[in-house]
Amino acid sequence: MLGYYTFETGGDYNAALINYRQHLDEYVYDKIWSELSLKDRKVLNALINSTDGSVAEIREALNMKPNEFAPYRERLIRKGVVDGSTRGYLSLTLPMFDEYIKDHFVEA
């Protein structure tokens, strides 16, 4: 999509990036976000605000015990939103999803 938008904007990468982000937000991320629970969203917000994505830091920010945190971690991995292949760390798998989270997370 980014290549397509770059071509459509005559090589203007900044304009292409704006179009690309809008496309992701409207056609992908809005759907994913709407299907996440509030706790899932809190985990993602803590992830993007962590220094390195360590599970310990994320759990501490959320005041969650390991057994409390595990179902959310597993669900987000299963949905393809985060990568947990490095033991003890999580990272987002979706491009620019951190920006989306910053724009859409509202703590209830």
Side-chain angles (χ1 to χ4, degrees):
M1 287 307 307
L2 184 55
Y4 169 78
Y5 285 124
T6 302
F7 175 78
E8 286 293 308
T9 59
D12 182 349
Y13 182 74
N14 290 326
L17 207 51
I18 291 168
N19 292 337
Y20 176 67
R21 167 104 194 268
Q22 182 178 354
H23 181 89
L24 285 174
D25 286 1
E26 290 177 13
Y27 296 104
V28 182
Y29 297 160
D30 283 347
K31 174 73 171 151
I32 292 169
W33 193 251
S34 71
E35 295 177 355
L36 296 174
S37 71
L38 177 60
K39 284 274 190 160
D40 290 330
R41 293 175 184 185
K42 286 181 178 184
V43 169
L44 291 172
N45 187 59
L47 169 60
I48 66 165
N49 288 305
S50 70
T51 56
D52 61 359
S54 78
V55 169
E57 183 181 356
I58 296 166
R59 282 191 306 101
E60 184 178 320
L62 297 168
N63 198 24
M64 294 176 91
K65 294 181 179 3
N67 61 337
E68 270 183 286
F69 183 77
Y72 299 103
R73 177 187 176 278
E74 293 305 316
R75 184 170 44 235
L76 291 169
I77 290 171
R78 194 173 53 251
K79 288 182 179 256
V81 177
V82 299
D83 175 33
S85 61
T86 303
R87 185 169 170 78
Y89 292 88
L90 295 176
S91 60
L92 293 175
T93 59
L94 305 169
M96 302 175 147
F97 198 52
D98 57 335
E99 295 174 28
Y100 183 92
I101 294 166
K102 287 175 189 170
D103 292 345
H104 292 84
F105 179 75
V106 177
E107 186 133 12

